[in-house]
Amino acid sequence: MSDDRRLDVLRAIVEDYVQTQEPVGSRVLVERHALGVSPATIRNDMAALEEAGFIAQPHTSAGRVPTDKGYRMFVDRLSTIKPLSSPERRAIQQFLADAVDLDDVVDRSVRLLSQLTQQVAVVQYPSLRRSALRHLELVPVGDTRLLVVIITDTGRVEQRTLELDAPVAEHVVPELRARLNAAVAGRRLVDLPEPLEQMALAFAAEDRPLVHRVVRVVEDTLAEATEERVVMAGASHLARSGTDFSLTIRPVLEALEEQVVLLRLLTEMAEDTAGVTVRIGHENQHAGLAETSFVATGYGGDGEALARIGSLGPTRMDYAGTIASVRAVARYLSRILAG
């Protein structure tokens, strides 16, 4: 019973501190929360929580604030996540449904999540390593130029222009387009080298140099495009919560500028397949992010996560609300990509 009661006390301290940004004392807990015990019992529970490292006392106050360990316990014991309201869900759906292509979808998603959470939002582009090719298009541009367009099942589009040494026979481009799509459409990118290498054998000897060049362009483009990248929005929100950081927000901003830091963190969080993942404070394993928390989850079509989306803010964040927002935007983003 005492453990359950102390968890209630910890939960009350976290909720009050997130809302007020003021250290929480026993008198405040008695006044604001129906904990059903005496002030003396609450003080004893707070002492036990402090000894266990779940709360700490700032030197300027008699109240207590949660530690990283305390936030972790709070998040792990969250029993209910308040769902978004029907108007909020409709607004998300409509805002994302109006996107015209993948870049627009990602841009809208990151701005939307930042607005919902009033924190930094991060969206990782769908990984080409786990994508499949939807269509390859070959478009003649004049007599000696060929546009190669690669479209993945996530809506990602890559295009390259191929300069030819001489005009190509009229029938070759349509035949090559048809054979390429028959061989590679729907296949994962990692499975493409073999069918692409076999492609030239279906053509006459005089046409094979062109086939080899097109295949090489496709392979080189996919190799270049495997570089992962993220899009971020809402860094200005950190300035409004500047007092949450002990000295300055500069280390946080510098860490956010390094995409490799965010990609590494998202990759580590992707190893946890249990839905929404929360990294708190020093769990982020980057000095610049030691006073922040990162809430992220996967998104993608057909029930498989192709990339991740998340929200980053001070450890003093509304965890339940952030989790609900991240999960909701990821769900709608997945629906769009699956469609």
Side-chain angles (χ1 to χ4, degrees), residues 280-298:
I280 299 171
H282 290 85
E283 294 174 359
N284 290 313
Q285 297 181 350
H286 187 284
L289 301 178
E291 295 183 272
T292 68
S293 289
F294 198 5
V295 178
T297 192

Side-chain angles (χ1 to χ4, degrees), residues 141-302:
V141 183
D143 292 334
T144 58
R145 184 175 293 178
L146 187 66
L147 181 64
V148 181
V149 183
I150 302 167
I151 306 171
T152 73
D153 60 348
T154 59
R156 189 164 176 173
V157 179
E158 299 286 339
Q159 61 183 42
R160 297 292 184 272
T161 300
L162 183 61
E163 299 288 347
L164 307 178
D165 296 329
V168 180
E170 188 174 332
H171 73 279
V172 174
V173 171
E175 182 182 352
L176 179 55
R177 180 194 303 120
R179 288 186 177 277
L180 280 169
N181 281 293
V184 303
R187 286 179 178 252
R188 293 299 176 96
L189 301 185
V190 295
D191 300 325
L192 294 183
E194 183 176 349
L196 287 177
E197 288 300 323
Q198 299 296 319
M199 187 61 56
L201 299 178
F203 288 82
E206 63 269 22
D207 297 326
R208 289 178 184 175
L210 170 66
V211 177
H212 283 305
R213 290 195 63 187
V214 171
V215 167
R216 192 175 305 116
V217 166
V218 172
E219 291 176 334
D220 291 348
T221 301
L222 296 178
E224 294 170 7
T226 55
E227 181 181 353
E228 307 289 357
R229 62 191 179 109
V230 297
V231 177
M232 185 181 67
S236 60
H237 293 308
L238 291 175
R240 303 190 188 105
S241 58
T243 55
D244 282 305
F245 304 102
S246 57
L247 297 175
T248 173
I249 65 172
R250 179 179 294 177
V252 182
L253 297 176
E254 290 176 349
L256 293 178
E257 287 178 358
E258 300 181 41
Q259 286 213 355
V260 64
V261 172
L262 294 175
L263 285 168
R264 186 185 305 121
L265 184 54
L266 287 167
T267 300
E268 293 171 355
M269 296 174 80
E271 296 173 0
D272 185 347
T273 58
V276 179
T277 304
V278 182
R279 289 287 182 90
I280 299 171
H282 290 85
E283 294 174 359
N284 290 313
Q285 297 181 350
H286 187 284
L289 301 178
E291 295 183 272
T292 68
S293 289
F294 198 5
V295 178
T297 192
Y299 73 89
D302 299 325

Side-chain angles (χ1 to χ4, degrees), residues 295-314:
V295 178
T297 192
Y299 73 89
D302 299 325
E304 181 181 1
L306 297 174
R308 298 185 75 77
I309 179 173
S311 180
L312 181 143

Side-chain angles (χ1 to χ4, degrees), residues 58-80:
H59 65 278
T60 57
S61 171
R64 304 296 188 275
V65 299
T67 62
D68 288 357
K69 184 178 179 181
Y71 283 124
R72 170 51 60 194
M73 175 64 75
F74 172 81
V75 169
D76 289 346
R77 298 298 181 90
L78 273 176
S79 57
T80 58

